[in-house]
Amino acid sequence: MYVPHGRLHTVFNLDSTIAITANYNLDRVWEAACNDGITDVKARIMYNLVLNSEQRARVRQTRLWPMEEACTKPEHRTSKAVKKQQLEDFPLASDSNFFNDKDWSPKVSDVVEAKYKGDQNEYYRGTITRASHGTYDVLYVDGDRNYKLPRWALARFRMYNKGELVDVYDERRDQWYLAIVRRPAPGSDDEIEVMRYNQNGIDVVHSDKVRRFGWNFRPGNKVLAKFLDDKTKWHPGTVVADFGNGQFSIKYDDGVVASAHRDEMMYQWAAKAFEDDPKGVHR
């Protein structure tokens, strides 16, 4: 059942149900449904009958798609090891904006990264086509548009740096995957090398197929961090607390607990992308 926004309604649940409402983050609801034991039949009912077309498009961009290869896998339903690995390796979705330049005044023709409709946590590349009274129209590289976006939904576009965590679009499978930027592709201004999460292969992709997204480290993440005054080496540890403002408490593998800044941390799995650079990532 789909209820349009603003329509008064009453629902009586006669059986176990899944509700997708404006008060919930759809990405997290879909992930929770996958990990909590959703079956193939329930997944199809949820996708085809519960979600509207916009929500279905949103679900197809998550890392748990297609359903047959993700949500309905037994390990996604029952394996504690899979859930533990997700806690250790995956970022926490966040509305924090680490990309916004407060001193920047957007203008027409500026290339930007914008939150689609102003309410997603991913940033898509586009160009400002109109600026008026603190709102902006944006034409995205895929031809889609947004109108009257607020200033806080925009960030000045900058090329991707080595070590950045990003989403990359796979055209063949029509889905986004988690990756880390390895380096700009040799001899190209618009292509970059990325390493897919938990894979050894290196992809060369056009920057138009890459997007930033609002994320943060979370307690339980396995990371490498630069320790206190020793900024030349990376030390393995686990995030134990988020202090805010980019500061985290890290329990290092040798038992020492100390703080580290987001810019001096990376996921342990990401280190494979820098095996040819012993000093690791330089931000």
Side-chain angles (χ1 to χ4, degrees), residues 190-244:
D190 294 316
E191 292 185 328
I192 57 177
E193 288 185 2
V194 300
M195 187 192 77
R196 296 184 180 223
Y197 163 71
N198 214 18
Q199 297 187 27
N200 295 323
I202 303 298
D203 295 334
V204 177
V205 297
H206 195 278
S207 60
D208 285 351
K209 304 300 181 185
V210 180
R211 71 183 183 192
R212 292 184 172 95
F213 62 101
W215 66 276
N216 216 347
F217 293 105
R218 60 177 168 178
N221 282 164
K222 295 291 186 180
V223 298
L224 297 175
K226 292 184 177 180
F227 179 71
L228 298 177
D229 296 330
D230 183 4
K231 303 301 183 183
T232 62
K233 298 179 181 179
W234 295 89
H235 302 271
T238 303
V239 177
V240 294
D242 179 358
F243 295 143

Side-chain angles (χ1 to χ4, degrees), residues 138-183:
V138 174
L139 173 63
Y140 296 97
V141 293
D142 63 359
D144 206 347
R145 293 178 180 269
N146 268 166
Y147 300 96
K148 297 184 177 181
L149 285 175
R151 169 66 182 83
W152 55 261
L154 302 180
R156 177 162 35 189
F157 176 77
R158 56 180 174 82
M159 280 304 294
Y160 302 94
N161 295 323
K162 183 177 181 180
E164 281 196 72
L165 201 63
V166 295
D167 275 338
V168 180
Y169 182 63
D170 185 335
E171 290 185 289
R172 184 177 63 85
R173 301 186 67 183
D174 188 26
Q175 69 181 84
W176 297 84
Y177 62 85
L178 181 67
I180 190 166
V181 176
R182 196 164 180 263
R183 62 165 65 93

Side-chain angles (χ1 to χ4, degrees), residues 24 70 79 94 100 102 106 108-109 118 158 247 255 282:
Y24 287 88
S79 174
S94 170
N100 212 330
K102 295 181 180 179
V108 173
S109 79
R158 56 180 174 82
Q247 294 287 339
H282 301 280

Side-chain angles (χ1 to χ4, degrees), residues 250-257:
I250 309 294
K251 183 176 182 179
Y252 293 93
D253 288 359
D254 62 4
V256 175
V257 177

